[in-house]
Amino acid sequence: MLKNLPKSIHITEVGPRDGLQNEPKVLSTEDKITFILMLQKAGLKSIEATSFVRPDRIPQMGDASDLYEGLMALTSKKVEYPCLIPNLKGLEKALEVGVKEIALFTATSEEFNKKNINASIDESFVRMEEVAKKALAEGLKVRGYVSTVFGCPYEGKTSTKKLIEVSKRLKNLGAYDISLGDTIGVGVPLQVNQIIEELDKEFDLDLFSMHFHDTRGMALSNVLTSIENGITKFDSSAGGLGGCPYAKGATGNLATEDLVYLCHSLGIETGVDMDLLASASDFILSKLGHVSSSKYLTAYLVGKK
Ligand code: HMG
Ligand code: MG
């Protein structure tokens, strides 16, 4: 246990996108930009800013173009701001405002994909391949997401064989990083261990990030298991905000505060300043009008106030 720990991990902060896309309250563009700049000040170097999806489906992200333009006017541009893109229409909108990195998304479950993006897995690849081709030709970086890796809200258990197939297809279309989503937070350490062992036979593990939702309180245990198996990239959301509108019961992402606290306690660098991160989360939670699901942040804020 706890041998061969990495010197550092990389965090993709997904709060402004995954964190806010499921919130009943739609925040102003100004507040979202303030949140992103506070996260950046806290040391986060990769912040998923928004998604260029159908605004009638996800109104919380309906200001994607304005947000990105506003952000670019204020940022030092040393930070990456990937944006979630579902199709060519989304890419065109993203290119208009100068997006430099995109994240494509599919799943290991047919049923979830149908509900989420109105496409089968094969159909999603037809879309993603045309988007990736154009994006790469324009010099953009392409990231990929696979949802329902640890279980599906509609189909239950999902297949590691399918995960391997989908990951190979994402790699072949040019994804430099593939984020493995526990969309509904059902994964447990034994399963994380088994899946990473299978992936290790087929890929360089540096290709993968883990994207845990903390629905059943397993996210940190799953992080530790992943780290012990050689994974060094994680997605997390400030304050533990998050959920997917097409995955009933999919509550918050792994909280960035919890991830940072765990890593720092193990001597693993994250580049994140906890005080500044907690201020960013406190700010956005006050705008949303609810408390955090992060145990660490809750304790931290009680200590401060
Ligand atoms: P569709 O209905 O199949 O699209 O949507 P369509 O091509 O048939 O077009 C229908 C209408 O939508 C047309 O408008 C299009 O122009 C418009 P009309 O001509 O009728 O006026 N349209 C668009 N408008 C703006 N931007 C676009 C766009 N595309 C079409 N990009 C689509 C397919 C995927 C776009 C839709 O189903 C959608 O937006 N779904 C939302 C998906 C989403 O954001 N889900 C949550 C994020 S995924 C997630 O949270 C999981 C993750 O965190 C990992 C994990 O935890 O597992 C990543
Ligand atoms: Mg997610």
Side-chain angles (χ1 to χ4, degrees), residues 233-248:
K233 296 186 288 181
F234 295 91
D235 299 351
S236 61
S237 169
L241 297 169
C244 176
Y246 298 98
K248 202 163 165 256

mmCIF file with all atom_site columns, all heavy atoms in Angstrom, residues 233-248:
data_model
loop_
_atom_site.group_PDB
_atom_site.id
_atom_site.type_symbol
_atom_site.label_atom_id
_atom_site.label_alt_id
_atom_site.label_comp_id
_atom_site.label_asym_id
_atom_site.label_entity_id
_atom_site.label_seq_id
_atom_site.pdbx_PDB_ins_code
_atom_site.Cartn_x
_atom_site.Cartn_y
_atom_site.Cartn_z
_atom_site.occupancy
_atom_site.B_iso_or_equiv
_atom_site.pdbx_formal_charge
_atom_site.auth_seq_id
_atom_site.auth_comp_id
_atom_site.auth_asym_id
_atom_site.auth_atom_id
_atom_site.pdbx_PDB_model_num
ATOM 1   N N   . LYS A 1 233 ? -3.625  11.581 -13.731 1.00 0.00 ? 233 LYS A N   1
ATOM 2   C CA  . LYS A 1 233 ? -4.460  12.701 -14.197 1.00 0.00 ? 233 LYS A CA  1
ATOM 3   C C   . LYS A 1 233 ? -5.901  12.484 -13.712 1.00 0.00 ? 233 LYS A C   1
ATOM 4   O O   . LYS A 1 233 ? -6.454  11.390 -13.886 1.00 0.00 ? 233 LYS A O   1
ATOM 5   C CB  . LYS A 1 233 ? -4.423  12.791 -15.726 1.00 0.00 ? 233 LYS A CB  1
ATOM 6   C CG  . LYS A 1 233 ? -3.031  13.104 -16.275 1.00 0.00 ? 233 LYS A CG  1
ATOM 7   C CD  . LYS A 1 233 ? -3.052  13.325 -17.780 1.00 0.00 ? 233 LYS A CD  1
ATOM 8   C CE  . LYS A 1 233 ? -3.272  12.045 -18.552 1.00 0.00 ? 233 LYS A CE  1
ATOM 9   N NZ  . LYS A 1 233 ? -3.266  12.223 -20.012 1.00 0.00 ? 233 LYS A NZ  1
ATOM 10  N N   . PHE A 1 234 ? -6.460  13.527 -13.134 1.00 0.00 ? 234 PHE A N   1
ATOM 11  C CA  . PHE A 1 234 ? -7.810  13.436 -12.575 1.00 0.00 ? 234 PHE A CA  1
ATOM 12  C C   . PHE A 1 234 ? -8.632  14.664 -12.951 1.00 0.00 ? 234 PHE A C   1
ATOM 13  O O   . PHE A 1 234 ? -8.116  15.776 -13.010 1.00 0.00 ? 234 PHE A O   1
ATOM 14  C CB  . PHE A 1 234 ? -7.749  13.318 -11.038 1.00 0.00 ? 234 PHE A CB  1
ATOM 15  C CG  . PHE A 1 234 ? -7.097  12.045 -10.599 1.00 0.00 ? 234 PHE A CG  1
ATOM 16  C CD1 . PHE A 1 234 ? -5.728  11.991 -10.364 1.00 0.00 ? 234 PHE A CD1 1
ATOM 17  C CD2 . PHE A 1 234 ? -7.837  10.871 -10.491 1.00 0.00 ? 234 PHE A CD2 1
ATOM 18  C CE1 . PHE A 1 234 ? -5.107  10.803 -10.006 1.00 0.00 ? 234 PHE A CE1 1
ATOM 19  C CE2 . PHE A 1 234 ? -7.224  9.674  -10.135 1.00 0.00 ? 234 PHE A CE2 1
ATOM 20  C CZ  . PHE A 1 234 ? -5.858  9.640  -9.888  1.00 0.00 ? 234 PHE A CZ  1
ATOM 21  N N   . ASP A 1 235 ? -9.936  14.436 -13.169 1.00 0.00 ? 235 ASP A N   1
ATOM 22  C CA  . ASP A 1 235 ? -10.890 15.536 -13.317 1.00 0.00 ? 235 ASP A CA  1
ATOM 23  C C   . ASP A 1 235 ? -11.567 15.719 -11.958 1.00 0.00 ? 235 ASP A C   1
ATOM 24  O O   . ASP A 1 235 ? -11.876 14.726 -11.270 1.00 0.00 ? 235 ASP A O   1
ATOM 25  C CB  . ASP A 1 235 ? -11.997 15.186 -14.322 1.00 0.00 ? 235 ASP A CB  1
ATOM 26  C CG  . ASP A 1 235 ? -11.480 14.909 -15.726 1.00 0.00 ? 235 ASP A CG  1
ATOM 27  O OD1 . ASP A 1 235 ? -10.280 15.141 -15.984 1.00 0.00 ? 235 ASP A OD1 1
ATOM 28  O OD2 . ASP A 1 235 ? -12.290 14.470 -16.565 1.00 0.00 ? 235 ASP A OD2 1
ATOM 29  N N   . SER A 1 236 ? -11.818 16.946 -11.596 1.00 0.00 ? 236 SER A N   1
ATOM 30  C CA  . SER A 1 236 ? -12.550 17.194 -10.347 1.00 0.00 ? 236 SER A CA  1
ATOM 31  C C   . SER A 1 236 ? -13.242 18.539 -10.457 1.00 0.00 ? 236 SER A C   1
ATOM 32  O O   . SER A 1 236 ? -12.974 19.317 -11.379 1.00 0.00 ? 236 SER A O   1
ATOM 33  C CB  . SER A 1 236 ? -11.597 17.176 -9.155  1.00 0.00 ? 236 SER A CB  1
ATOM 34  O OG  . SER A 1 236 ? -10.629 18.199 -9.298  1.00 0.00 ? 236 SER A OG  1
ATOM 35  N N   . SER A 1 237 ? -14.131 18.791 -9.503  1.00 0.00 ? 237 SER A N   1
ATOM 36  C CA  . SER A 1 237 ? -14.964 19.988 -9.594  1.00 0.00 ? 237 SER A CA  1
ATOM 37  C C   . SER A 1 237 ? -14.922 20.748 -8.264  1.00 0.00 ? 237 SER A C   1
ATOM 38  O O   . SER A 1 237 ? -15.135 20.152 -7.194  1.00 0.00 ? 237 SER A O   1
ATOM 39  C CB  . SER A 1 237 ? -16.393 19.516 -9.904  1.00 0.00 ? 237 SER A CB  1
ATOM 40  O OG  . SER A 1 237 ? -17.293 20.559 -9.756  1.00 0.00 ? 237 SER A OG  1
ATOM 41  N N   . ALA A 1 238 ? -14.620 22.028 -8.351  1.00 0.00 ? 238 ALA A N   1
ATOM 42  C CA  . ALA A 1 238 ? -14.516 22.851 -7.136  1.00 0.00 ? 238 ALA A CA  1
ATOM 43  C C   . ALA A 1 238 ? -15.793 22.728 -6.311  1.00 0.00 ? 238 ALA A C   1
ATOM 44  O O   . ALA A 1 238 ? -16.902 22.816 -6.846  1.00 0.00 ? 238 ALA A O   1
ATOM 45  C CB  . ALA A 1 238 ? -14.288 24.308 -7.532  1.00 0.00 ? 238 ALA A CB  1
ATOM 46  N N   . GLY A 1 239 ? -15.639 22.492 -5.026  1.00 0.00 ? 239 GLY A N   1
ATOM 47  C CA  . GLY A 1 239 ? -16.793 22.396 -4.137  1.00 0.00 ? 239 GLY A CA  1
ATOM 48  C C   . GLY A 1 239 ? -17.591 21.114 -4.303  1.00 0.00 ? 239 GLY A C   1
ATOM 49  O O   . GLY A 1 239 ? -18.587 20.902 -3.621  1.00 0.00 ? 239 GLY A O   1
ATOM 50  N N   . GLY A 1 240 ? -17.173 20.254 -5.241  1.00 0.00 ? 240 GLY A N   1
ATOM 51  C CA  . GLY A 1 240 ? -17.901 18.999 -5.471  1.00 0.00 ? 240 GLY A CA  1
ATOM 52  C C   . GLY A 1 240 ? -19.204 19.201 -6.231  1.00 0.00 ? 240 GLY A C   1
ATOM 53  O O   . GLY A 1 240 ? -20.104 18.353 -6.182  1.00 0.00 ? 240 GLY A O   1
ATOM 54  N N   . LEU A 1 241 ? -19.294 20.313 -6.960  1.00 0.00 ? 241 LEU A N   1
ATOM 55  C CA  . LEU A 1 241 ? -20.502 20.551 -7.763  1.00 0.00 ? 241 LEU A CA  1
ATOM 56  C C   . LEU A 1 241 ? -20.568 19.527 -8.887  1.00 0.00 ? 241 LEU A C   1
ATOM 57  O O   . LEU A 1 241 ? -19.548 18.998 -9.293  1.00 0.00 ? 241 LEU A O   1
ATOM 58  C CB  . LEU A 1 241 ? -20.425 21.939 -8.415  1.00 0.00 ? 241 LEU A CB  1
ATOM 59  C CG  . LEU A 1 241 ? -20.379 23.136 -7.479  1.00 0.00 ? 241 LEU A CG  1
ATOM 60  C CD1 . LEU A 1 241 ? -20.028 24.389 -8.269  1.00 0.00 ? 241 LEU A CD1 1
ATOM 61  C CD2 . LEU A 1 241 ? -21.744 23.297 -6.806  1.00 0.00 ? 241 LEU A CD2 1
ATOM 62  N N   . GLY A 1 242 ? -21.758 19.298 -9.420  1.00 0.00 ? 242 GLY A N   1
ATOM 63  C CA  . GLY A 1 242 ? -21.793 18.524 -10.641 1.00 0.00 ? 242 GLY A CA  1
ATOM 64  C C   . GLY A 1 242 ? -22.849 17.468 -10.756 1.00 0.00 ? 242 GLY A C   1
ATOM 65  O O   . GLY A 1 242 ? -23.510 17.099 -9.789  1.00 0.00 ? 242 GLY A O   1
ATOM 66  N N   . GLY A 1 243 ? -22.973 16.974 -11.989 1.00 0.00 ? 243 GLY A N   1
ATOM 67  C CA  . GLY A 1 243 ? -23.945 15.941 -12.302 1.00 0.00 ? 243 GLY A CA  1
ATOM 68  C C   . GLY A 1 243 ? -24.298 16.027 -13.764 1.00 0.00 ? 243 GLY A C   1
ATOM 69  O O   . GLY A 1 243 ? -24.005 17.024 -14.416 1.00 0.00 ? 243 GLY A O   1
ATOM 70  N N   . CYS A 1 244 ? -24.878 14.973 -14.272 1.00 0.00 ? 244 CYS A N   1
ATOM 71  C CA  . CYS A 1 244 ? -25.256 14.991 -15.687 1.00 0.00 ? 244 CYS A CA  1
ATOM 72  C C   . CYS A 1 244 ? -26.777 14.972 -15.778 1.00 0.00 ? 244 CYS A C   1
ATOM 73  O O   . CYS A 1 244 ? -27.424 14.099 -15.196 1.00 0.00 ? 244 CYS A O   1
ATOM 74  C CB  . CYS A 1 244 ? -24.664 13.783 -16.410 1.00 0.00 ? 244 CYS A CB  1
ATOM 75  S SG  . CYS A 1 244 ? -25.190 13.671 -18.121 1.00 0.00 ? 244 CYS A SG  1
ATOM 76  N N   . PRO A 1 245 ? -27.375 15.908 -16.524 1.00 0.00 ? 245 PRO A N   1
ATOM 77  C CA  . PRO A 1 245 ? -28.832 15.960 -16.629 1.00 0.00 ? 245 PRO A CA  1
ATOM 78  C C   . PRO A 1 245 ? -29.454 14.695 -17.222 1.00 0.00 ? 245 PRO A C   1
ATOM 79  O O   . PRO A 1 245 ? -30.638 14.452 -17.059 1.00 0.00 ? 245 PRO A O   1
ATOM 80  C CB  . PRO A 1 245 ? -29.072 17.155 -17.555 1.00 0.00 ? 245 PRO A CB  1
ATOM 81  C CG  . PRO A 1 245 ? -27.804 17.931 -17.551 1.00 0.00 ? 245 PRO A CG  1
ATOM 82  C CD  . PRO A 1 245 ? -26.706 16.974 -17.253 1.00 0.00 ? 245 PRO A CD  1
ATOM 83  N N   . TYR A 1 246 ? -28.638 13.882 -17.932 1.00 0.00 ? 246 TYR A N   1
ATOM 84  C CA  . TYR A 1 246 ? -29.169 12.658 -18.535 1.00 0.00 ? 246 TYR A CA  1
ATOM 85  C C   . TYR A 1 246 ? -28.782 11.411 -17.756 1.00 0.00 ? 246 TYR A C   1
ATOM 86  O O   . TYR A 1 246 ? -28.818 10.297 -18.268 1.00 0.00 ? 246 TYR A O   1
ATOM 87  C CB  . TYR A 1 246 ? -28.747 12.567 -20.012 1.00 0.00 ? 246 TYR A CB  1
ATOM 88  C CG  . TYR A 1 246 ? -29.325 13.722 -20.774 1.00 0.00 ? 246 TYR A CG  1
ATOM 89  C CD1 . TYR A 1 246 ? -28.571 14.853 -21.049 1.00 0.00 ? 246 TYR A CD1 1
ATOM 90  C CD2 . TYR A 1 246 ? -30.675 13.734 -21.135 1.00 0.00 ? 246 TYR A CD2 1
ATOM 91  C CE1 . TYR A 1 246 ? -29.122 15.947 -21.692 1.00 0.00 ? 246 TYR A CE1 1
ATOM 92  C CE2 . TYR A 1 246 ? -31.237 14.815 -21.775 1.00 0.00 ? 246 TYR A CE2 1
ATOM 93  C CZ  . TYR A 1 246 ? -30.459 15.927 -22.050 1.00 0.00 ? 246 TYR A CZ  1
ATOM 94  O OH  . TYR A 1 246 ? -31.017 17.004 -22.669 1.00 0.00 ? 246 TYR A OH  1
ATOM 95  N N   . ALA A 1 247 ? -28.362 11.599 -16.513 1.00 0.00 ? 247 ALA A N   1
ATOM 96  C CA  . ALA A 1 247 ? -28.040 10.455 -15.645 1.00 0.00 ? 247 ALA A CA  1
ATOM 97  C C   . ALA A 1 247 ? -28.667 10.743 -14.290 1.00 0.00 ? 247 ALA A C   1
ATOM 98  O O   . ALA A 1 247 ? -28.086 11.406 -13.446 1.00 0.00 ? 247 ALA A O   1
ATOM 99  C CB  . ALA A 1 247 ? -26.534 10.290 -15.529 1.00 0.00 ? 247 ALA A CB  1
ATOM 100 N N   . LYS A 1 248 ? -29.909 10.253 -14.138 1.00 0.00 ? 248 LYS A N   1
ATOM 101 C CA  . LYS A 1 248 ? -30.665 10.518 -12.912 1.00 0.00 ? 248 LYS A CA  1
ATOM 102 C C   . LYS A 1 248 ? -29.859 10.092 -11.678 1.00 0.00 ? 248 LYS A C   1
ATOM 103 O O   . LYS A 1 248 ? -29.270 9.017  -11.660 1.00 0.00 ? 248 LYS A O   1
ATOM 104 C CB  . LYS A 1 248 ? -31.966 9.726  -12.974 1.00 0.00 ? 248 LYS A CB  1
ATOM 105 C CG  . LYS A 1 248 ? -33.035 10.271 -12.083 1.00 0.00 ? 248 LYS A CG  1
ATOM 106 C CD  . LYS A 1 248 ? -34.412 9.735  -12.487 1.00 0.00 ? 248 LYS A CD  1
ATOM 107 C CE  . LYS A 1 248 ? -35.394 10.002 -11.385 1.00 0.00 ? 248 LYS A CE  1
ATOM 108 N NZ  . LYS A 1 248 ? -35.708 8.806  -10.603 1.00 0.00 ? 248 LYS A NZ  1
#
